Amino acid sequence: MPAHPTLYLRRSVYVRLGGFDTSFRIAADYDFILRYFSQATSRSVYIPEVLYKMRLGGVSNRNLARIREKMGEDWRAIRGNKVGGVMTIVSKNFSKLGQFVERQKG
């Protein structure tokens, strides 16, 4: 799953796929990215450089209630786009555990 701040698409792609589904309060970007990659007919290019650095935190991991809400929306996006299954959501959440570990400076 690419980081959404560095996913560059033409406006025509958003128009063709219907843009963001605003029924998602937290995971509209995730739903859109799943929709795009499950229907993509063009090729993607990986750029092996850091283009954007995000701070830790945000709406999706502010507290346990938000994490639970995000997981529910992620599950709805996964099922709605017919991409992956239980292991998809498990691996997505385990990949974020490092965000909660304080890193040593130096």
Side-chain angles (χ1 to χ4, degrees):
M1 180 57 60
H4 61 278
T6 56
L7 178 64
Y8 302 105
L9 301 169
R10 296 183 184 275
R11 179 187 304 243
S12 61
V13 173
Y14 288 92
V15 170
R16 180 172 50 86
L17 295 178
F20 292 101
D21 180 348
T22 57
S23 71
F24 289 93
R25 291 174 24 118
I26 297 175
D29 54 348
Y30 183 62
D31 172 66
F32 179 81
I33 291 169
L34 289 179
R35 197 172 347 129
Y36 171 71
F37 281 107
S38 68
Q39 298 178 23
T41 56
S42 57
R43 68 184 181 100
S44 299
V45 177
Y46 171 71
I47 302 170
E49 294 180 38
V50 175
L51 300 176
Y52 190 88
K53 286 189 176 186
M54 294 175 62
R55 285 189 235 148
L56 295 179
V59 172
S60 65
N61 60 8
R62 183 171 295 150
N63 56 44
L64 286 175
R66 290 292 175 100
I67 292 170
R68 196 169 57 245
E69 182 179 358
K70 178 196 69 69
M71 286 176 61
E73 288 191 8
D74 288 348
W75 181 247
R76 184 164 59 105
I78 289 166
R79 301 295 293 165
N81 290 292
K82 298 177 176 68
V83 178
V86 173
M87 288 311 295
T88 304
I89 199 164
V90 169
S91 63
K92 180 177 191 270
N93 286 288
F94 273 120
S95 73
K96 294 181 178 248
L97 286 177
Q99 295 177 17
F100 299 100
V101 177
E102 189 174 334
R103 295 189 182 185
Q104 299 278 330
K105 299 203 186 220

